[in-house]
């Protein structure tokens, strides 16, 4: 019998990305032992710090290795002072190189409040929402919109006179991400409020033409699914998710609107340290915690690794489906249960959740819990 092995590329990147990817890898090793799954992992340095050391954003072979892999885990990109000669963030070439280069068009960002987690919307730690009332996913378009590199400066006599960022919205780009959102909705249990499957189209179609196209395509695709259609302008959406999070199941939106809405949404689940994500295309996938490199906390073993660990969980769930391997499904459930029970116990939490545990203690506790699964 040949032993099938899954090829995983780790890109720890900058700052706390390195610390949280280490914990994610620990968890991967734990499920590998527990469920007899073989992961063939390779790690590449990259990002702003790597750029300052080497003059490159990532090693030449890294993209090709990512292209050949079954999945990628990225930590964080961005470091103070690490700027490319054109003024752009050094390391962005890694994130965008993968999102665009591998055509990872659906950026899947779950917002789920686990029992025991207190959030900070009221400044002090409180639990305003019942955990079961926050469980929705934002699907952010990931390859066009304001992120399309159709931008530039007009400089005259050494003075920057004008800057243009063109927002590109295509029918194909809308279709595939909207269909992705409806398919995802069909796999879920519906909104916490009423158990109804619901997809919300989040846009600014009262002003923007691209959003009008997005909404038109949304309506066309929605008719193929037994799912409630819902609409929200982005400005209203940001207040409704705070006031009535239980109404939401899946929301689909364009690139920059999704970027902004998901940072806000993370507060409903305990903050950026809890926000995991998946960048998914038809043939490749990359997983990353949504938080950044947090230079201020770098090297202190303080960062919350749960976003990274839950990104590993999303990776396992993606691979389980893609490879139809039930061991991966069990492993994914085990990681989520281990995180859930750690949060419920509440005695091994990092500072952002009101605890004093270190990043590695949280990783160790998740591993311990996986090892004790009967
Ligand atoms: C995110 C980040 C990135 C983005 C940055 C780091 C380029 O904010 O993943 O949400 O804007 O997409
Ligand atoms: Mg962002």
């Amino acid at each position: 019998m040949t032993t099938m092995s899954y090829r995983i590329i780790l890109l720890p990147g900058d700052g706390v990305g390195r610390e949280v990817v280490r914990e994610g890898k620990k968890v991967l090793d734990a499920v590998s032992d527990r469920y007899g799954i073989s992961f063939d992992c390779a790690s590449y340095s990259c990002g702003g710090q790597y750029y300052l050391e080497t003059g490159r954003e990532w090693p030449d072979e890294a993209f090709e290795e990512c292209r050949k892999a079954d999945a990628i885990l990225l930590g964080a990109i961005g470091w103070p002072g690490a700027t490319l000669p054109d003024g752009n963030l050094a390391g962005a070439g890694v994130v965008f190189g993968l999102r665009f280069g591998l055509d990872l068009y659906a950026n899947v960002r779950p917002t789920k409040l686990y029992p025991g987690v207190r959030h900070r919307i009221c400044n002090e730690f409180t639990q305003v929402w019942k955990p079961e009332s926050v469980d929705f996913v934002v699907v952010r378009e990931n390859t066009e919109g304001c992120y399309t590199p159709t931008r530039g400066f007009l400089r005259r006599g050494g003075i920057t006179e004008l800057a243009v960022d063109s927002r590109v919205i295509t029918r194909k780009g809308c279709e595939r991400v909207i269909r992705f959102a409806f398919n995802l909705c069909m796999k879920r249990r519906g909104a916490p409020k009423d158990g109804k499957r619901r997809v919300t189209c989040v846009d600014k179609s009262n002003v923007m033409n691209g959003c009008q196209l997005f909404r038109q395509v949304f309506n066309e695709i929605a008719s193929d699914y037994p799912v409630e259609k819902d609409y929200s302008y982005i400005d209203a959406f940001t207040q409704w998710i705070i006031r009535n999070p239980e109404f939401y199941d899946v929301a689909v939106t364009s690139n920059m609107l999704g970027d902004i809405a998901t940072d806000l949404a993370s507060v409903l689940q305990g903050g950026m340290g809890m926000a995991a994500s998946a960048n998914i295309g038809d043939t490749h996938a990359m997983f990353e915690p949504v938080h950044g490199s947090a230079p201020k906390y770098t090297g202190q073993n303080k960062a919350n690794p749960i976003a990274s660990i839950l990104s590993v969980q999303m990776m396992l769930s993606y691979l389980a489906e893609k490879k139809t391997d039930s061991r991966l499904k069990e492993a994914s459930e085990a990681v989520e249960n281990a995180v859930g029970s750690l949060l419920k116990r509440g005695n091994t939490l990092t500072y952002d959740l009101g605890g004093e545990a270190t990043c590695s203690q949280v990783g160790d506790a998740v591993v311990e819990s996986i090892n004790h699964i009967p």
Side-chain angles (χ1 to χ4, degrees), residues 109 140 147 258-260 262-263 272 290:
R109 299 189 157 185
R140 161 188 177 189
Y147 284 65
D259 178 42
I260 298 167
T262 52
D263 272 26
M272 295 292 272
V290 180

Side-chain angles (χ1 to χ4, degrees), residues 77 89 92 95-96 99 107 109 140 142 147 255 259 262-263 288 290:
I77 288 297
L89 174 80
V95 185
F96 297 131
R99 288 184 187 169
N107 192 328
R109 299 189 157 185
R140 161 188 177 189
N142 214 24
Y147 284 65
N255 205 338
D259 178 42
T262 52
D263 272 26
E288 54 174 332
V290 180

Side-chain angles (χ1 to χ4, degrees), residues 40-83:
D40 167 23
C41 298
S43 182
Y44 290 91
S45 301
C46 61
Q49 290 173 288
Y50 181 79
Y51 176 78
L52 292 176
E53 288 156 19
T54 64
R56 289 179 303 162
E57 293 178 271
W58 52 346
D60 290 338
E61 68 279 20
F63 176 77
E64 189 51 23
E65 286 297 325
C66 287
R67 202 183 58 75
K68 289 192 303 207
D70 292 303
I72 303 152
L73 179 66
L74 175 72
I77 288 297
W79 194 248
T83 314

Side-chain angles (χ1 to χ4, degrees), residues 83-371:
T83 314
L84 299 175
D86 64 6
N88 285 322
L89 174 80
V94 178
V95 185
F96 297 131
L98 292 168
R99 288 184 187 169
F100 286 88
L102 299 179
D103 210 15
L104 308 176
Y105 58 82
N107 192 328
V108 182
R109 299 189 157 185
T111 301
K112 178 168 172 177
L113 180 61
Y114 284 86
V117 173
R118 296 168 304 156
H119 58 74
R120 302 199 70 145
I121 280 191
C122 306
N123 194 23
E124 298 303 321
F125 286 111
T126 55
Q127 179 101 59
V128 176
W129 297 278
K130 295 195 200 89
E132 57 274 20
S133 62
V134 182
D135 187 359
F136 63 87
V137 181
V138 176
V139 180
R140 161 188 177 189
E141 202 293 320
N142 214 24
T143 54
E144 54 180 43
C146 295
Y147 284 65
T148 318
T150 46
R151 51 177 167 255
F153 295 107
L154 174 67
R155 296 196 173 93
R156 275 193 291 232
I159 297 171
T160 304
E161 300 279 5
L162 177 78
V164 179
D165 299 284
S166 318
R167 180 165 181 262
V168 176
I169 304 286
T170 67
R171 173 169 280 276
K172 179 182 172 189
C174 297
E175 268 168 10
R176 60 189 192 173
V177 76
I178 292 167
R179 197 164 287 287
F180 186 98
F182 275 94
N183 288 337
L184 175 64
C185 184
M186 292 303 292
K187 291 185 220 149
R188 290 170 52 86
R189 283 166 308 185
K193 181 187 165 91
D194 49 16
K196 283 195 182 148
R197 293 209 166 93
R198 179 175 292 120
V199 179
T200 303
C201 177
V202 179
D203 60 44
K204 188 71 186 170
S205 57
N206 48 348
V207 180
M208 317 275 289
N209 286 317
C211 286
Q212 287 165 15
L213 175 59
F214 192 87
R215 191 178 279 215
Q216 189 187 322
V217 173
F218 176 86
N219 284 329
E220 290 165 17
I221 288 175
S223 61
D224 293 344
Y225 294 86
V227 167
E228 187 177 296
K229 288 184 284 180
D230 178 53
Y231 306 92
S232 189
Y233 297 137
I234 179 67
D235 44 350
F237 183 71
T238 56
Q239 54 120 18
W240 285 119
I241 55 171
I242 305 294
R243 289 178 54 154
N244 282 351
E246 66 277 8
F247 180 73
Y248 294 98
D249 179 9
V250 174
V252 64
T253 191
S254 51
N255 205 338
M256 198 166 83
L257 302 187
D259 178 42
I260 298 167
T262 52
D263 272 26
L264 174 69
S266 81
V267 187
L268 291 164
Q269 62 184 153
M272 295 292 272
M274 296 297 297
S277 79
N279 299 257
I280 297 183
D282 290 331
T283 47
H284 298 84
M286 168 178 71
F287 300 82
E288 54 174 332
V290 180
H291 62 73
S293 60
K296 198 164 88 181
Y297 294 117
T298 297
Q300 297 175 34
N301 198 18
K302 271 190 88 168
N304 185 353
I306 292 180
S308 172
I309 292 170
L310 288 176
S311 299
V312 168
Q313 181 265 320
M314 293 181 83
M315 175 193 286
L316 294 166
S317 158
Y318 162 85
L319 288 173
E321 200 180 312
K322 181 134 182 145
K323 309 281 182 183
T324 46
D325 182 339
S326 59
R327 294 169 311 164
L328 287 161
K329 184 157 187 294
E330 278 183 69
S332 143
E333 286 163 3
V335 174
E336 185 165 24
N337 291 337
V339 168
S341 66
L342 172 116
L343 294 166
K344 207 178 267 169
R345 284 198 308 277
N347 54 1
T348 315
L349 303 177
T350 43
Y351 75 97
D352 55 317
L353 298 179
E356 284 170 4
T358 62
C359 179
S360 48
Q361 281 167 345
V362 172
D364 290 343
V366 172
V367 166
E368 181 81 357
S369 161
I370 291 168
N371 290 341

